[in-house]
Structures are given as structure tokens and as C-alpha cells.
Amino acid sequence: MLELDQLVKEFTGFRAVNGCSFTVREGTITGLIGPNGAGKTTLFNLIAGALKPTSGSIRFNGQDVTGLASDELFHKGLVRTFQIPHEFHRLSVLENLMMVPPKQQGESLFSNWFAWGAVQRGEKVVARKAWDTLAFLELTHVAHLPAGHLSGGQKKLLELGRTMMTDAKLVLLDEPAAGVNRTLLRQLEEKILILNREHGYTFILIEHDMDMIFKLCHPVICMAEGSVLVEGSFHEVRNDRRVLEAYLGETTGDAA
Ligand SMILES: Nc1ncnc2c1ncn2[C@@H]1O[C@H](COP(=O)(O)OP(=O)(O)OP(=O)(O)O)[C@@H](O)[C@H]1O
Ligand SMILES: [Mg+2]
């Protein structure tokens, strides 16, 4: 479904992503781990079109999508969530979801004036979908709260909900567990699994929470210094000496 070939992203002489290649099979939840600064988020930015690669290529469903902008990728079903949630904090939770669909008819002045009935019907469909999404995520009780009032975990669920408002095929999750309490974490894991098994979502999941990686991900890819260090099952990666060394290297680096 996704093929990365020798991706490089250079920031003024420094290579945050340095010849990164791997493939993601449709229907998997691929785990992406690696020490702080390994280049994981930068790689997501390249895949999701927030940054253009310095070199290398990205293919999505057999199509070359290298350098496409994020909204073009979004229309193709490639969606990401953020390490730090990007909710519209003054809008309600429901409104946050209703804003997501692209090509919402109400947006154009023309359709507002001349196709008022159609706009009304379109909004009803979007509202229905938003309520269904909230029900799935068990967030209906906070539908009318400003999104800024949600807990960290609820914001992560809302981020996931925003991907459900589109016809997402491949969803990139950047540290969904960070700052989430245990109860909501379990809920989040369960929703990710249902979306994967019953709704055909493919995921790439960046996470430092090894418990979550263990429960959800196969295969697991460990990145270090901008490229793939090891790929395999959770146990293969966990028991690989190079992975341990990469994490220890990070600790030594921090101490220095
Ligand atoms: N816009 C930028 N300009 C310059 N350097 C950057 C930029 N974005 C990221 N970097 C650097 O690139 C490296 C990789 O950062 P990145 O955020 O991709 O790491 P990460 O693997 O996601 O780390 P973490 O696990 O801490 O989130 C880091 O050294 C970071 O400081
Ligand atoms: Mg990161």
C-alpha cells in the first residue's frame, strides 16, 4: 500500500531522515519506534505531505505521490494525526468533526444561495456521520463541550474521530498514547483495533509505549538516525542488540 524508497529530508546540512526505505502492507498496523530524534515525526511529515523530501520517493496504492500536498493526499485517503493534538479549541467537539469533510457544500457562496436545500441535506449527512463517530468513540456526552476542555485522552480520541470523518485508508498516528490515562488508553487501543479489523483501516503507529506496540503492531520497525535499523515482529525487534544500543546511545547522548 505504501512504499518508501530511500527517503531523505535535510534541514540545513542535517539529515533528519537519511535514506529511509520500507513498505507497509494493506490491513496491517505497522509500529514505528526509535529513540527521540530518530526522525519518526519528520518521516510522517514527508508521507503526509507536510514536508517535501530532499530526495527519494513515496508510492501510495501504486501511485507516485512524492511531494504531493497534504490536502491532495487527504483526498486519496492518506490522513495523519498529530503528536500534539490540533483541535479547534473553541469549537464544540461535534463541530470539530463536522469541519473535517472536504468538499462540504456549505462552504461555497454559490451553493449557499442557489442550492440551499442540497446544502441542508449535505449538512444533515455530515452531522449524522459526526454523531455516529462520537458514539463509536464513546464521546457523545461531550459533543457540545468546547474541544479545548477535553482531557488529553479525549483529545486523542477526537483526533482519531477526525480521520473517521473522511474515507481514510491509511492513517498515520503519532504517539496516540502520550499523556493518555490508562482507562482511555485501553479505549483508544480497542477503537484502533476495531477500525483495523472491521473497517479496513491500515495504520502506521509511532509510539514510545511498548505495551501498546506489543498489543497492536505487526510488523514493528525501529528507526535510528533517520533510517530503518531493524524490522520484524515485536519480539524480534525487542531482542535485537542494535535496537538496545540505539536506545542506550540516546541515553548517553542526553547525559553528555
Ligand atoms: N523543522 C526542523 N528543522 C530542523 N531540524 C528539525 C526540524 N524538525 C525536526 N528536526 C530535527 O530532526 C530530528 C528528528 O526529529 P523528529 O521530530 O522527526 O524525531 P522523532 O523520532 O519524532 O522524535 P520523538 O520521539 O522525540 O518525537 C531531530 O534532531 C530534530 O531536532
Ligand atoms: Mg516525534
Side-chain angles (χ1 to χ4, degrees):
M1 185 176 216
L2 185 77
E3 296 165 61
L4 310 181
D5 188 25
Q6 289 299 317
L7 272 186
V8 171
K9 180 64 192 177
E10 218 167 80
F11 295 116
T12 50
F14 164 73
R15 287 189 165 193
V17 174
N18 189 10
C20 191
S21 304
F22 62 83
T23 61
V24 172
R25 274 185 305 118
E26 188 168 1
T28 57
I29 306 179
T30 296
L32 192 57
I33 65 167
N36 294 117
K40 305 179 296 295
T41 297
T42 307
L43 184 70
F44 265 19
N45 283 330
L46 297 178
I47 300 171
L51 291 174
K52 283 193 198 313
T54 309
S55 61
S57 73
I58 306 171
R59 293 178 76 77
F60 178 55
N61 282 331
Q63 247 185 329
D64 186 354
V65 295
T66 319
L68 285 192
S70 51
D71 58 330
E72 293 171 272
L73 293 164
F74 181 89
H75 287 291
K76 291 182 189 293
L78 200 163
V79 184
R80 60 92 58 90
T81 70
F82 292 91
Q83 190 163 348
I84 298 164
H86 276 43
E87 81 285 353
F88 296 97
H89 61 278
R90 287 192 201 175
L91 295 184
S92 75
V93 172
L94 185 69
E95 286 164 339
N96 263 271
L97 291 180
M98 289 187 62
M99 287 192 64
V100 177
K103 296 185 186 139
Q104 206 170 8
Q105 287 160 309
E107 276 168 17
S108 103
L109 183 64
F110 176 85
S111 58
N112 268 331
W113 275 104
F114 298 104
W116 188 78
V119 172
Q120 294 281 301
R121 283 192 295 280
E123 280 193 1
K124 269 195 189 142
V125 171
V126 173
R128 172 90 245 156
K129 199 165 179 176
W131 279 110
D132 287 348
T133 300
L134 288 178
F136 175 78
L137 297 172
E138 299 172 47
L139 286 178
T140 45
H141 59 295
V142 294
H144 298 298
L145 273 189
H149 291 197
L150 296 181
S151 72
Q154 289 171 326
K155 284 182 186 175
K156 297 281 184 169
L157 281 169
L158 180 60
E159 286 267 311
L160 189 61
R162 286 160 61 85
T163 73
M164 294 175 62
M165 293 298 293
T166 70
D167 294 316
K169 307 269 186 302
L170 175 63
V171 178
L172 313 179
L173 299 173
D174 197 348
E175 299 197 23
V180 179
N181 74 45
R182 285 282 131 192
T183 316
L184 274 185
L185 189 57
R186 212 120 306 137
Q187 202 171 318
L188 190 63
E189 287 170 352
E190 180 197 306
K191 304 306 174 195
I192 293 171
L193 273 178
I194 296 174
L195 287 173
N196 174 247
R197 289 181 185 159
E198 295 170 23
H199 298 266
Y201 276 51
T202 302
F203 288 101
I204 309 178
L205 193 156
I206 296 179
E207 196 43 76
H208 288 291
D209 182 327
M210 287 305 136
D211 193 47
M212 189 177 205
I213 294 280
F214 169 67
K215 281 193 204 145
L216 301 184
C217 300
H218 187 82
V220 176
I221 294 170
C222 178
M223 270 182 86
E225 295 176 3
S227 57
V228 173
L229 188 63
V230 181
E231 175 174 347
S233 69
F234 177 83
H235 292 290
E236 282 165 349
V237 172
R238 189 194 155 96
N239 294 324
D240 195 296
R241 225 193 129 63
R242 290 167 295 174
V243 173
L244 181 69
E245 279 164 7
Y247 278 92
L248 287 177
E250 172 202 30
T251 315
T252 318
D254 282 351

